[in-house]
Structure formats: C-alpha cells, structure tokens
Amino acid sequence: MSTHAADPLAALGTLPGVPDAVDNVRKAIDRVYGHRVMRRRSNEIASEAALRGARGSAALSGADWNLEEVRRRSDFSVDAEARTVGASLRLSAEAGQLLSIWRQSPLRVLARLHLVAAGGTGDAVGRPRQDGEAVDEPLIETALPDAAEVAGRLDGLADLVVAGGTAPALVTAAVVHGELLALRPFTSYNGLVARAAERIVLVGSGLDPKSICPAEVGHAEQGRAAYLAAFEGYLSGTPEGVGAWIAHCGRSVELGVRESTAVCEALQRGAA
C-alpha cells in the first residue's frame, strides 16, 4: 500500500503551492525560535501571542476590537461583540490544556472547545447540532450539511487525526480548520472553534511547541474577503482550490510569526 493511500492527507502535501508553503512556514518558525529573546522570555511571548491570536480570531467573527481594548476590558457579557471576544479569549486559554487529549479523542476536544466558547450555557452546548437547529455563524454563509453528514465527516476527521501520518502539520491543521468551517458542527462559534483547533494541531504537532506563532493573527491581517475566497477553494475540492487554502493558512502562520518577532524586538528594546 502506498503512503498516500494509507494517509489521505499526505497526498495534499504535493498540491500546487503546498510544498513551498510548508517550507516557508518551517523556515519562518525556525527564525523566530532562534531569536535571542526567545531563550529567556518565551512565556511572555506565548502570552502575547495568545492574546493577539484571540483578538484576530474574534475580528474574523465580527468583533474587530483593537488590541488595547481587548487588554482593557474585563466584562465580556455586554453585547454580541463582547461575548465573541470573551469566547475567543477563553478558547485561546483553553487550547493549551487540550493538546494531550487531541490525538486520542479529537471529538472530545471539539466538544470541550464549544463548551468553553459558549460559556457552558444552553441545550446545544458541547454537542454537534441536530437537524432543524439554527446555526449562528456570522462569516460563513455556504449551505449547511445535515446532521448525518456532519456526524460522518467528523468521525472521518477524527479517525485521520488519531491515525496520525506523514502529512506536514500545516496540511493537517488547514484541513481540520477547513472541515470545521464547512461542517459548522455546532450552533454557535464554529469559526472560533475551527481556528482554535488549527492552533492545537500546529502546537501539538511540534511545529510550534511553545505556541508563539498565532495563525489567527495572519488570518485576520489578510482580511475576511481573502479568508472567504481561500475557503471557497477548499470547498471546491479541486487540487488548485485545496492547495490555495493550505497556502493561505501557511501565509497566516508566517504573519503570526512576524507579529511575534515584532514582540521579541520590542522586548529586546525594553519597549514592551
């Protein structure tokens, strides 16, 4: 049996633009990990990356607050935007606690992520949606798969994660992210959960073990229109479209690296 047959995701690593994206991400991450500030202040950089990543993910879900506002606020229950920012911050804090569980039980992790995002309230919290339940997702407007398709595809995705394989971490992370956006398995906060799951894959794979390269920053920086265009490519299922989505996710990681490099420079200057 060939490697590609055994590991369907491995074949995606050869799609147009993907090998370059994988290589560029690896080089960018190596550079920031080699920064002299990282040797003694990596925890500060990771904390800042988590905050900036949460802000970026919330921005894509319609709550585009500036970073200082996110830092300043303590009440995230006032309105829908505040709840979105609060959910994103909780997910960013929770993701690091779920790394060891992800490879054994990704569906359990996804349920936990939704529970955390939703604040643990409501009948539909922490479980896949059922037919007839409305989905509140402000960014993705494509047709919703029915509950049976969601369950089947989630099981398939979980099987791929548990089985592991030879696919680059960027490829796996992009597929997890794209599938969750396509399925929108929960009644709310699907975009936030999808981006948190992408982060878990990138960190848990060892590509970004200290969690200092927030892809969410890059997704937000490239903008909602580019995000949606790349996602449409994923939905198309064509080699070019899926490759473009993976490359888009790679560029997002690179931009997250750039953000954390700037934080390193600021710390080095004593300006942060």
Side-chain angles (χ1 to χ4, degrees), residues 2-156:
S2 71
T3 300
H4 287 180
D7 178 10
L9 298 184
L12 303 183
T14 66
L15 293 178
V18 174
D20 285 344
V22 169
D23 189 48
N24 290 341
V25 164
R26 177 75 270 171
K27 288 177 179 175
I29 290 177
D30 285 347
R31 282 194 299 272
V32 73
Y33 270 79
H35 197 288
R36 60 186 298 182
V37 172
M38 275 293 296
R39 289 195 293 271
R40 60 187 187 279
R41 303 183 73 173
S42 62
N43 288 343
E44 292 172 73
I45 297 160
S47 295
E48 193 64 22
L51 183 71
R52 294 178 186 223
R55 192 219 72 81
S57 192
L60 283 174
S61 287
D64 192 2
W65 292 12
N66 65 52
L67 190 61
E68 293 314 311
E69 178 72 1
V70 177
R71 281 191 214 282
R72 183 185 66 79
R73 287 285 282 272
S74 57
D75 183 359
F76 295 99
S77 61
V78 177
D79 53 33
E81 282 197 10
R83 288 192 292 274
T84 296
V85 175
S88 193
L89 287 167
R90 290 193 298 274
L91 285 175
S92 191
E94 184 74 10
Q97 311 303 312
L98 301 172
L99 298 171
S100 62
I101 304 170
W102 174 256
R103 285 298 296 270
Q104 282 74 46
S105 184
L107 297 185
R108 181 178 157 200
V109 168
L110 293 175
R112 175 64 184 170
L113 289 174
H114 186 246
L115 183 73
V116 168
T121 58
D123 294 336
V125 169
R127 63 155 174 81
R129 59 183 168 80
Q130 300 169 2
D131 285 335
E133 289 182 325
V135 173
D136 178 14
E137 178 50 56
L139 186 59
I140 307 300
E141 297 178 350
T142 54
L144 279 169
D146 63 26
E149 183 178 351
V150 168
R153 286 172 64 177
L154 281 178
D155 284 343

